[in-house]
C-alpha cells in the first residue's frame, strides 16, 4: 500500500515537473531557486533589439532532475520514507499532518553540473578559460560551488569525449560537429553532453558575431547578440564591446550607451573597464561620456580608476568642442589641456585650445594659443589658425605674412590666405605695402581668380591715383564674376574719372535697374540714334582667358620711405555726386508727350528713361520711335521697348514688342532668354511649378542656366515632391557657394525628414 502511495506521489511529482519546465519561474520556486534567493545571471539584456524572439537556455540541469526522480522511485522502506519525503526538494505533496514536529529547512541540493570542461581546462593549465568556465557555470547554476581542486574532478573515462573537448578548446568547431555526428552514427545510444552542445552553439554564434563585426556588418552583430544572450556577459567583454560599437555605428547611440553602462555597472576587471571607457569615447558624444564617467570607482590609492586616461579624454572632449561651437566643455577639461600645453610643450595641445577659443570668438585667447603652437612648430594648421585669428582682430597684414608660405598646402589654407589679402587691401587708411608684397598677392589672386581681392586692388589703385590700373582690376573682377556690383561701380566711377563718357554710359546701361548708385552717376542727355545696343552684363568683358592680366599697383616711393601714412594725391578729375533734389531738371527728367517727338528724339529719350529706371515711360517713347522710316531706328525701338517691358515684369508685352521690327539673331536670342526667364519666375510665383520647369527647359536650350535659375528649378522640383531631382540641383548649385542653394538643401531636409533635429 505504501509502495503504491510512493508511486502515486512520484507520478504526481513527475507530472508537476514536466508542467513546470514550461514555466521557468515556477520551476525555480519548486526547486528552491526562487528569484529572491539567488542572483540572476549577469547577462546583458538586449531589450530593444528587434529580431526573432527566442527563449533563453534553462538555468537548471534537467539531467539532475531526472536523476533525483529516479532515486525517489527506488525508496521502498517505509521507515525511511518520511525522511526522503520531507528532506528532498522535489516533493510536491505535503507531509502527513500527524508528524510530531516540522522538519528543519531543507538545504538546497547541489545541482548536477557537467564539469568536464572545467577539468579539461584545469588539466591544460589554461587559467583564463578556467576562470571563464567557472564564471559561466556560476551564472547558470547560482547554487553551484566550484571544486577546490578542478583537477580532482573525476575523469570521465571517455577518451573520445576528451578529444571533443580538445577540439572545442582549440576552436575547431566544424571538426567537433563532425566528431559528434560520427560517434552518434557508430554508437546509436551515445548522446553528447548537453553542456558541450550548448557551448558549441554559443561558440559558433560568437565566431559569426566577431566575423560580422570585422566586416562592419553591424546589423548582423546586433541580431546575433539578440539571439544569443548568453554571449553578453562580463566573461566575454570583447563581444559586449562589439555589440556596443554596432549600436553606435547604426545611429543607436542610446543603446550603445546602455551597453557600456552595463559593463561599468557589472564588470569588475580594471583593465577591461578602462578599455571600455577608451572605446566608448571614440564613439559617443561628449554628453553621453559624462554619464559613463559618473560610474567611475575609486582605485584604492586615493585616486580614480580612469585617472590614467584623463588627459586623453580631456583632449578628445576639447576637440569635440572644436567641431561644435555650441558645445560647452567643462572648465576642468580645458584646464587639463592647458596644463598639458604648458608642461609637455606639445604644439597639438596648443592648437586644440586655439581652435576651441577661435570657434567661440575669444580672439585674444585664440591668438595666444595659436602663437604658442606656431612658435613650437610652424605648420600649415598653426599658421592657418593664427591667420584667421589675426584677420578677426583686424591685423590682415600680419595674417598674410604668416600664412603665405602655406597658402598652397590645402584648400582651407588657400582660402585663408585669400581672405587675408582681401582684408589687407581693404584697410583704411591703406596699409604700407612694398611692391614685393603687392606682386605676390596679385600673382596669387590672378592664379585663383579671386574676385574680392581683385576688386580691392582696384580701390587700392584709386587711392594711389592710378585710375588706368584701377580700371583694369575692376574689369578683371567683372570678367571673373559679371554680377559683382561693387566692381561695376568702381569701374564706372573710374571711367568717369578718365572722362570716358561712353564707358560710363555702357555700364549704366548694363546695370540699369540693378544698381541705383550706378544709375545716379549721371545722365545721358541724348543717345545717338544709330548707337548699337550694348551686350548683356555677362558680356561686359570678353571671356577670353588670353586677356592680359592687370598691371601691378605701383607704390610711390614716398609711401614706402615716409614715416607717416601718405595722403593720396587728388585725381586729375574729381568725381562729384550731386544730390538729385538740387540739380536742374534736364534731359529726360521732365515729363513730355512722346508722341509729339520725332522718332529719333523719341528713341534717344527712351534710352534716357531706361537709364533712370522709368521703364513704362520708356516703352511709350520707343513706341513713338517705331514710326520712323529708318529700319535701324525701328530695330532699336523694338528692342528697347522689349527691354522696358521686361524690366516692368510684363514678359508677354515684351514678346509682342520684339516682333514689331526684325531683330538680329543675337538680339532675338537675348530677348528670348530674358522673356523665358521672366515667365519662369512669374509661373513659380503663381505656384504653376510644372509650367516653371517648361520655361526653364526652353531657356536652357538657348543659354546655360545661371545659379539663381538653378535654385528656382530646385524649388520647383521640391514643390512637386521630386526630391531626388531637387537634391541634385541644390547640391550642384551649393558647390558654387550659393547661399540660396544651401538654404534649399535645408528646406529639402526639412521636407523629407521633418522629425530630424539639426
Amino acid at each position: 500500500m505504501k509502495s503504491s502511495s510512493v508511486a502515486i506521489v512520484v507520478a504526481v511529482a513527475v507530472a508537476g515537473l514536466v508542467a513546470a519546465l514550461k514555466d521557468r519561474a515556477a520551476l525555480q520556486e519548486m526547486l528552491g531557486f526562487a528569484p529572491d534567493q539567488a542572483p540572476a545571471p549577469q547577462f546583458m539584456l538586449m531589450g530593444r533589439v528587434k529580431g526573432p524572439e527566442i527563449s533563453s537556455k534553462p538555468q537548471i540541469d534537467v539531467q539532475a532532475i531526472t536523476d533525483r526522480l529516479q532515486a525517489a522511485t527506488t525508496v521502498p522502506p517505509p521507515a525511511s520514507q518520511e525522511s526522503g519525503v520531507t528532506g528532498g526538494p522535489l516533493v510536491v505533496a505535503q507531509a502527513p499532518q500527524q508528524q510530531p514536529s516540522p522538519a528543519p529547512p531543507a538545504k538546497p541540493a547541489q545541482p548536477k553540473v557537467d564539469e568536464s570542461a572545467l577539468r579539461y581546462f584545469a588539466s591544460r593549465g589554461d587559467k583564463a578559460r578556467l576562470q571563464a568556465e567557472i564564471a559561466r557555470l556560476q551564472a547558470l547554476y547560482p547554487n553551484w560551488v566550484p571544486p577546490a581542486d578542478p583537477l580532482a574532478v573525476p575523469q570521465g573515462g571517455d577518451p573520445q569525449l576528451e578529444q571533443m573537448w580538445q577540439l572545442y578548446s582549440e576552436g575547431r568547431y566544424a571538426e567537433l560537429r563532425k566528431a559528434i555526428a560520427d560517434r552518434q552514427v557508430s554508437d546509436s545510444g551515445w548522446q553528447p553532453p548537453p553542456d558541450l552542445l550548448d557551448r558549441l552553439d554559443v561558440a559558433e554564434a560568437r565566431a559569426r558575431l566577431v566575423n560580422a563585426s570585422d566586416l562592419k556588418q553591424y546589423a548582423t552583430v546586433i541580431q546575433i547578440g539578440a539571439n544569443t544572450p548568453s554571449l553578453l556577459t562580463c566573461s566575454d567583454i570583447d563581444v559586449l564591446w562589439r555589440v556596443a560599437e554596432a549600436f553606435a555605428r547604426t545611429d543607436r547611440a542610446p543603446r550603445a550607451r546602455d551597453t557600456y553602462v552595463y559593463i561599468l555597472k557589472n564588470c569588475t576587471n580594471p583593465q577591461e573597464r578602462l578599455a571600455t571607457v577608451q572605446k566608448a569615447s571614440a564613439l559617443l558624444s561628449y554628453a553621453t561620456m559624462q554619464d559613463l564617467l559618473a560610474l567611475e570607482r575609486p582605485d584604492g590609492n586615493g585616486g580614480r580608476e580612469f585617472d590614467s586616461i584623463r588627459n586623453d579624454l580631456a583632449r578628445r572632449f576639447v576637440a569635440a568642442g572644436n567641431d561644435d561651437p555650441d558645445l560647452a566643455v567643462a572648465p576642468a577639461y580645458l584646464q587639463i589641456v592647458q596644463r598639458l600645453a604648458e608642461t609637455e610643450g606639445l604644439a597639438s595641445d596648443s592648437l586644440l585650445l586655439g581652435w576651441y577659443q577661435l570657434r567661440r570668438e575669444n580672439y585674444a585667447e585664440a591668438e595666444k594659443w595659436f602663437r604658442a603652437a606656431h612658435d613650437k612648430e610652424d605648420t600649415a594648421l598653426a599658421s592657418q589658425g593664427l591667420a584667421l585669428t589675426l584677420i578677426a582682430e583686424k591685423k590682415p597684414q600680419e595674417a598674410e605674412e604668416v600664412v603665405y608660405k602655406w597658402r598652397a598646402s590645402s584648400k582651407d589654407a588657400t582660402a585663408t590666405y585669400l581672405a587675408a589679402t582681401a582684408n589687407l587691401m581693404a584697410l583704411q587708411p591703406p596699409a604700407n605695402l612694398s611692391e614685393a608684397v603687392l606682386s605676390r598677392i596679385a600673382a596669387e589672386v590672378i592664379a585663383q581668380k579671386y574676385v574680392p581681392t581683385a576688386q580691392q586692388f582696384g580701390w587700392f589703385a584709386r587711392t594711389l591715383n592710378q585710375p588706368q590700373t584701377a580700371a583694369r582690376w575692376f574689369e578683371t573682377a567683372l570678367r571673373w564674376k559679371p554680377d559683382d556690383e561693387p566692381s561695376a561701380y568702381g569701374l564706372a566711377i573710374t571711367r568717369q574719372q578718365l572722362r570716358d563718357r561712353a564707358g560710363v554710359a555702357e555700364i549704366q546701361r548694363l546695370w540699369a535697374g540693378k544698381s541705383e548708385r550706378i544709375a545716379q552717376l549721371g545722365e545721358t542727355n541724348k543717345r545717338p540714334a544709330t548707337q548699337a545696343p550694348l551686350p548683356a552684363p555677362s558680356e561686359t568683358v570678353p571671356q577670353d582667358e588670353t586677356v592680359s592680366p592687370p598691371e601691378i599697383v605701383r607704390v610711390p616711393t614716398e609711401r614706402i620711405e615716409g614715416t607717416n601714412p601718405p595722403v593720396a594725391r587728388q585725381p586729375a578729375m574729381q568725381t562729384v555726386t550731386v544730390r538729385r533734389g538740387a540739380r536742374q531738371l534736364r534731359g529726360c527728367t521732365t515729363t513730355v508727350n512722346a508722341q509729339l517727338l520725332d522718332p529719333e528724339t523719341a528713341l534717344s529719350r527712351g534710352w534716357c528713361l531706361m537709364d533712370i529706371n522709368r521703364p513704362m515711360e520708356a516703352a511709350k517713347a520707343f513706341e513713338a520711335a517705331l514710326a520712323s522710316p529708318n529700319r535701324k531706328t525701328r530695330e532699336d525701338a523694338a528692342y528697347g521697348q522689349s527691354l522696358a517691358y521686361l524690366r516692368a515684369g510684363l514678359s508677354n508685352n515684351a514678346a509682342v514688342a520684339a516682333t514689331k521690327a526684325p531683330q538680329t539673331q543675337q538680339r532675338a536670342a537675348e530677348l528670348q532668354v530674358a522673356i523665358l526667364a521672366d515667365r519662369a519666375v512669374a509661373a513659380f510665383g503663381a505656384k504653376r511649378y510644372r509650367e516653371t520647369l517648361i520655361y526653364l527647359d526652353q531657356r536652357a536650350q538657348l543659354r546655360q542656366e545661371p545659379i539663381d535659375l538653378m535654385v528656382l528649378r530646385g524649388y520647383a522640383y521640391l514643390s512637386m515632391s521630386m526630391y531626388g531631382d531637387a537634391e541634385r540641383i541644390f547640391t550642384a548649385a551649393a558647390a558654387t557657394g550659393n547661399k540660396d542653394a544651401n538654404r534649399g538643401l535645408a528646406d529639402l531636409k526639412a521636407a523629407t525628414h521633418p522629425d530630424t533635429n539639426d
Side-chain angles (χ1 to χ4, degrees), residues 116-299:
S116 56
L118 195 69
R119 182 195 54 75
Y120 178 81
F121 294 140
S123 67
R124 295 297 186 272
D126 191 342
K127 295 182 180 179
R129 286 179 178 267
L130 180 63
Q131 287 299 116
E133 176 66 7
I134 291 174
R136 188 185 72 88
L137 292 176
Q138 285 178 327
L140 291 174
Y141 308 104
N143 288 339
W144 175 75
V145 177
D149 181 9
L151 291 176
V153 176
Q155 293 283 346
D158 190 337
Q160 287 182 282
L161 183 58
E162 292 294 322
Q163 180 64 26
M164 292 178 187
W165 278 114
Q166 183 174 355
L167 292 174
Y168 168 80
S169 66
E170 295 173 356
R172 296 155 63 182
Y173 306 130
E175 296 179 43
L176 175 55
R177 287 283 184 194
K178 185 176 183 304
I180 292 173
D182 291 344
R183 181 164 182 180
Q184 286 179 319
V185 170
S186 61
D187 185 357
S188 59
W190 179 82
Q191 291 296 328
D195 183 55
L196 177 60
L197 292 178
D198 291 343
R199 290 175 62 86
L200 179 57
D201 290 340
V202 172
E204 290 175 333
R206 185 189 190 283
R208 293 196 305 273
L209 185 147
V210 171
N211 183 63
S213 177
D214 292 340
L215 294 176
K216 304 185 185 307
Q217 298 172 351
Y218 299 118
T220 303
V221 172
I222 296 172
Q223 187 67 39
I224 295 174
N227 294 340
T228 319
S230 58
L231 277 175
L232 308 179
T233 66
C234 294
S235 62
D236 197 342
I237 199 74
D238 182 63
V239 170
L240 289 173
W241 287 337
R242 291 175 184 272
V243 170
E245 181 186 11
F247 279 129
R249 300 293 187 190
T250 53
D251 298 327
R252 283 180 273 187
R255 296 297 292 125
R257 171 197 173 279
D258 293 344
T259 307
Y260 289 124
V261 166
Y262 165 82
I263 295 173
L264 295 177
K265 284 186 174 181
N266 295 281
C267 305
T268 58
N269 184 286
Q271 290 75 25
E272 292 175 350
R273 293 173 59 83
L274 191 69
T276 297
V277 173
Q278 289 176 308
K279 290 178 179 293
S281 65
L283 296 170
L284 301 183
S285 67
Y286 168 80
T288 305
M289 283 302 302
Q290 305 318 300
D291 295 339
L292 299 187
L293 292 174
L295 301 175
E296 185 178 14
R297 301 171 180 175
D299 62 1

Side-chain angles (χ1 to χ4, degrees), residues 350-381:
S350 297
L351 283 177
L352 281 175
L353 294 168
W355 288 113
Y356 184 86
Q357 299 297 344
L358 178 61
R359 295 280 278 172
R360 284 147 187 83
E361 300 181 358
N362 300 326
Y363 299 124
E365 279 294 302
E367 182 183 352
K368 167 189 171 182
W369 291 111
F370 279 130
R371 283 196 183 279
H374 188 268
D375 293 343
K376 293 170 186 173
E377 189 177 354
D378 183 5
T379 62
L381 198 59

Side-chain angles (χ1 to χ4, degrees), residues 7-63:
I8 292 173
V9 170
V10 171
V12 172
V14 172
L17 282 173
V18 172
L21 285 173
K22 300 178 182 178
D23 185 349
R24 180 175 176 177
L27 179 59
Q28 289 178 325
E29 183 177 358
M30 179 185 300
L31 298 178
F33 298 111
D36 58 346
Q37 295 176 353
Q42 294 298 306
F43 291 146
M44 168 63 198
L45 300 179
M46 306 280 285
R48 277 175 273 180
V49 179
K50 293 183 179 180
E53 296 186 0
I54 61 171
S55 60
S56 59
K57 300 291 183 182
Q59 298 184 0
I60 305 302
D61 194 306
V62 178
Q63 185 62 40

Side-chain angles (χ1 to χ4, degrees), residues 580-598:
R580 281 185 175 273
R583 65 185 180 183
Q584 297 294 326
L585 296 177
R586 56 188 177 84
C588 59
T589 57
T590 58
T591 302
V592 298
N593 187 351
Q595 299 298 324
L596 301 178
L597 302 175
D598 64 273

Side-chain angles (χ1 to χ4, degrees), residues 18 42 77 201 265 335 346 437 466 495 540 635 701:
V18 172
Q42 294 298 306
D201 290 340
K265 284 186 174 181
Q335 292 170 5
L346 295 178
V437 172
Q466 299 178 17
R495 285 181 176 176
T540 303
E635 284 182 15
Q701 294 176 1

Side-chain angles (χ1 to χ4, degrees), residues 714-734:
Y715 273 105
Y717 283 135
L718 177 59
S719 300
M720 296 172 63
S721 300
M722 300 171 66
Y723 300 130
D725 292 329
E727 182 179 11
R728 174 175 54 82
I729 295 297
F730 285 140
T731 301

Side-chain angles (χ1 to χ4, degrees), residues 664-676:
T664 64
Q665 183 176 0
Q666 180 181 355
R667 281 187 177 181
E670 179 184 344
L671 288 173
Q672 184 69 6
V673 166
I675 291 170
L676 288 171

Side-chain angles (χ1 to χ4, degrees), residues 2 38 54 118 238 259 262 279 398 402 415 449 463 465 512 516 593 623 659 676 692 696 728 732 753:
K2 290 184 179 181
I54 61 171
L118 195 69
D238 182 63
T259 307
Y262 165 82
K279 290 178 179 293
E398 187 178 354
V402 166
K449 297 182 179 180
T463 66
N465 195 26
E516 184 177 355
N593 187 351
E623 183 68 27
T659 65
L676 288 171
T692 301
L696 290 176
R728 174 175 54 82
H753 300 85

